[in-house]
């Protein structure tokens, strides 16, 4: 009997793990793109781009990710845009964490010394060249640890998609609780799986830091 | 379906009722987080061996797992331990404990920024451990991290809608109930978002006031500010290094 219950639990959590991983990875990819686009947009030469980026960052940092995901899922249909729960989840998580990441990109780029910009200017590099070859390679290792923390936040926030009926780990745990009446088992297992994901992300970021570290030191 | 202003007037009283709950939850859980976080930070600093391992391990575990699952855990499992709390108290406990683990990191970097000289001076003045912490270490450790604590306060405000998932009738709870009743979600959820934006801006304004008045106070009464500068960024760096290395 217990064996059956345990294998049922393992199966449902594995099912949920797929969704959680999918959400975390694609949400992070979207957040990564948003972070660079709006982080660099915020210090752009063009006023309109700057204002647009600031509005985006303030709106998504100013409200809760929970409200954002709910808004995308429940309120957008009013404008004729019906998103699937998965898409709403990825979009909400990615845009939210992207706004936090944009601030990280901005501060890391601005922390690059003024002399670097002057050197670019002296070498007559174009703006694209100086960002691509001089500024960003130096700023990137500085962003990585904070990106890692942001990714952990995203992974944790992904549990809220269970409330818009997406079958991630948390949702599966709830279903299991309703199905079997067991309470401790599903939630304890869920917490442990999330903690393992957390450790996995930390290891991933550490590997990325190791890969990007020495290259930037070489001058 | 388009935006309906009439509908706003209908939900506003309910949202205001929810706002009270949101504010109560925010303030209580922040008080819990600030005090428990300090306890964790001091425990991490003063204990060795197995106790230290347990304290920081539990803190890491709480920091690494989603608040939502922790809330479910508390809400569904406390009754089995013969503790029946109202949903709001349960939510406050969950939020408070979760943020305590974040704030303990903040306090810790404040404590670690204090030069060893200060500890040695306490020893040579023959202060007891309590006196050392109470009069020398904590006042110097906490003041520079107050802006960072403020940032976490704002982050905590934005986590409160999660409490609606354990049936706390905060703003989000009221909005979704209302949405379910009328099958209209656009206005309620948008209003909740706008209200959170306003609350967040107010909180940030209050934080700027606190920070500037603190530095004005220091300029007028204290020594010139040569103390350590601690930013959220450096704390994140530290906590990350700690976890990984």
């Amino acid at each position: 009997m217990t064996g059956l219950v345990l294998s049922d639990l393992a199966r449902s959590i594995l099912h949920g793990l797929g969704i959680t991983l999918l959400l975390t990875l694609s949400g992070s990819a979207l957040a990564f793109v948003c972070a660079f686009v709006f982080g660099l947009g915020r210090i752009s030469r063009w006023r309109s781009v700057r204002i647009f980026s600031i509005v985006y960052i303030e709106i998504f940092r100013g409200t809760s990710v929970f409200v954002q995901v709910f808004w995308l899922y429940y309120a957008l249909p009013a404008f004729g845009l019906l998103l699937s729960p998965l898409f709403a989840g990825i979009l909400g998580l990615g845009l939210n964490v992207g706004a936090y990441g944009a601030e990280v990109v901005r501060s890391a780029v601005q922390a690059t010394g003024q002399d670097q910009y002057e050197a670019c200017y002296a070498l007559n590099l174009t703006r694209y060249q100086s960002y691509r070859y001089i500024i960003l390679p130096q700023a990137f290792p500085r962003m990585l640890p904070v990106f890692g923390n942001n990714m952990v936040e995203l992974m944790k926030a992904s549990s809220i998609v269970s409330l818009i009926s997406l079958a991630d780990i948390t949702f599966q745990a709830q279903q299991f609780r309703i199905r079997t009446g067991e309470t401790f088992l599903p939630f304890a297992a869920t917490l442990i799986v999330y903690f393992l994901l957390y450790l996995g992300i930390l290891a991933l970021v550490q590997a990325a830091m190791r890969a990007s570290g020495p290259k930037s030191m070489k001058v | 379906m388009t935006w309906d202003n009439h509908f706003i007037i209908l939900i506003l009283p309910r949202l205001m009722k929810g706002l009270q709950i949101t504010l109560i939850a925010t303030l209580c859980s922040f008080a819990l987080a600030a005090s428990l976080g300090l306890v964790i930070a001091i425990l991490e600093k003063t204990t060795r061996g197995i106790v230290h391992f347990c304290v920081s391990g539990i803190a890491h575990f709480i920091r690494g797992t989603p608040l939502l699952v922790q809330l479910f855990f508390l809400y569904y499992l406390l009754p089995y331990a013969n503790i029946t709390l109202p949903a709001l108290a349960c939510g406050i406990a969950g939020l408070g404990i979760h943020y305590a683990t974040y704030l303990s990191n903040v306090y810790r970097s404040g404590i670690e920024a204090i030069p060893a000289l200060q500890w040695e001076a306490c020893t040579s003045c023959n202060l007891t451990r309590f006196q050392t912490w109470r009069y020398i270490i904590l006042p110097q450790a906490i003041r520079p991290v107050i802006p960072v604590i403020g940032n976490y306060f704002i982050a905590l405000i934005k986590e409160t809608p999660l409490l609606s998932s354990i049936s706390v009738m905060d703003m989000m709870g009221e909005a979704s109930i209302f949405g379910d009743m009328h099958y209209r979600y656009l206005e309620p959820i948008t209003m909740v978002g706008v209200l959170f934006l306003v609350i967040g801006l107010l909180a940030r304004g209050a934080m700027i006031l606190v920070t500037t008045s603190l530095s004005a106070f220091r300029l007028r009464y204290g020594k010139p500010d040569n103390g350590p500068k601690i930013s959220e960024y450096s704390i994140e760096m530290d906590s990350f290094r700690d976890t990984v290395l």
Side-chain angles (χ1 to χ4, degrees), chain B residues 106-209:
Chain B
V106 178
Y107 287 125
R108 201 193 45 191
S109 43
I111 293 168
E112 278 170 5
I114 291 177
L117 276 174
Q118 298 282 331
W119 293 97
E120 289 157 14
C122 293
T123 316
S124 55
C125 288
N126 203 19
L127 298 184
T128 64
R129 267 167 83 120
F130 174 77
Q131 284 171 327
T132 307
W133 280 101
R134 166 71 185 78
Y135 297 105
I136 311 295
I137 303 303
L138 289 184
Q140 296 184 77
I142 292 177
R143 202 167 295 161
V145 296
I146 285 178
V148 186
I149 295 179
N151 286 347
Y152 277 103
F153 177 66
I154 293 176
L156 189 146
I157 297 175
K158 284 177 280 177
E159 299 268 19
T160 51
L162 274 183
L163 300 194
S164 67
S165 65
I166 54 166
S167 78
V168 174
M169 289 313 271
D170 71 329
M171 274 201 295
M172 193 67 194
E174 294 281 2
S176 48
I177 290 273
F178 198 75
D180 290 340
M181 277 183 340
H182 298 259
Y183 205 64
R184 255 185 104 93
Y185 295 97
L186 173 62
E187 291 90 352
I189 296 180
T190 311
M191 283 305 291
V192 172
V194 171
L195 280 171
F196 266 110
L197 214 54
V198 172
I199 297 171
L201 284 176
L202 287 178
R204 207 185 300 174
M207 243 184 63
I208 291 170
L209 272 181

Side-chain angles (χ1 to χ4, degrees), chain A residues 2 4 11 50 71 73 88 92 95 117-118 126 136 161-162 170 209 217:
Chain A
T2 13
L4 267 179
R11 211 176 314 116
R50 268 200 320 266
W71 197 85
Y73 186 63
L95 288 176
Y117 289 94
E118 282 159 13
T126 63
L136 286 181
V161 297
S162 65
T170 314
M209 276 169 83
M217 298 296 165

Side-chain angles (χ1 to χ4, degrees), chain A residues 42-91:
Chain A
R42 201 174 170 313
I43 46 178
S44 154
R45 273 178 295 182
W46 298 294
R47 204 184 145 88
S48 51
V49 176
R50 268 200 320 266
I51 291 176
F52 183 72
S53 308
I54 289 174
V55 168
Y56 160 78
I57 291 170
E58 288 303 318
I59 286 182
F60 279 91
R61 272 167 49 113
T63 56
S64 137
V65 60
F66 185 75
V67 177
Q68 286 156 21
V69 171
F70 263 61
W71 197 85
L72 286 175
Y73 186 63
Y74 285 112
L76 266 192
F79 300 110
L81 256 171
L82 202 64
L83 301 183
S84 73
L86 182 66
F87 193 60
I90 292 174
L91 206 60

Side-chain angles (χ1 to χ4, degrees), chain A residues 29-189:
Chain A
L30 177 62
F32 191 76
V33 173
C34 284
F36 274 94
V37 169
F38 292 101
L40 294 176
R42 201 174 170 313
I43 46 178
S44 154
R45 273 178 295 182
W46 298 294
R47 204 184 145 88
S48 51
V49 176
R50 268 200 320 266
I51 291 176
F52 183 72
S53 308
I54 289 174
V55 168
Y56 160 78
I57 291 170
E58 288 303 318
I59 286 182
F60 279 91
R61 272 167 49 113
T63 56
S64 137
V65 60
F66 185 75
V67 177
Q68 286 156 21
V69 171
F70 263 61
W71 197 85
L72 286 175
Y73 186 63
Y74 285 112
L76 266 192
F79 300 110
L81 256 171
L82 202 64
L83 301 183
S84 73
L86 182 66
F87 193 60
I90 292 174
L91 206 60
L93 292 170
L95 288 176
N96 179 274
V97 176
Y100 285 91
E103 286 294 276
V104 176
V105 170
R106 180 190 60 82
S107 57
V109 167
Q110 284 182 338
T112 310
Q114 194 60 39
D115 47 346
Q116 299 289 332
Y117 289 94
E118 282 159 13
C120 292
Y121 188 70
L123 289 172
N124 204 18
L125 297 183
T126 63
R127 239 177 115 77
Y128 170 76
Q129 283 172 328
S130 44
Y131 271 94
R132 167 70 186 78
Y133 298 106
I134 311 293
I135 309 294
L136 286 181
Q138 293 181 65
F140 192 62
R142 231 172 285 152
M143 301 171 197
L144 272 177
V146 193
F147 274 163
N149 283 349
N150 282 355
M151 194 172 170
V152 168
E153 291 302 320
L154 193 145
M155 181 273 289
K156 281 159 56 183
S158 79
S159 65
I160 61 171
V161 297
S162 65
L163 303 172
I164 56 168
S165 74
L166 196 56
D168 75 330
I169 308 179
T170 314
F171 184 86
Q172 296 283 6
Q174 278 279 29
Q175 292 297 310
F176 186 84
R177 181 183 72 83
I178 294 163
R179 197 162 63 229
T180 61
E182 287 274 0
T183 313
F184 177 76
L185 214 54
F187 287 128

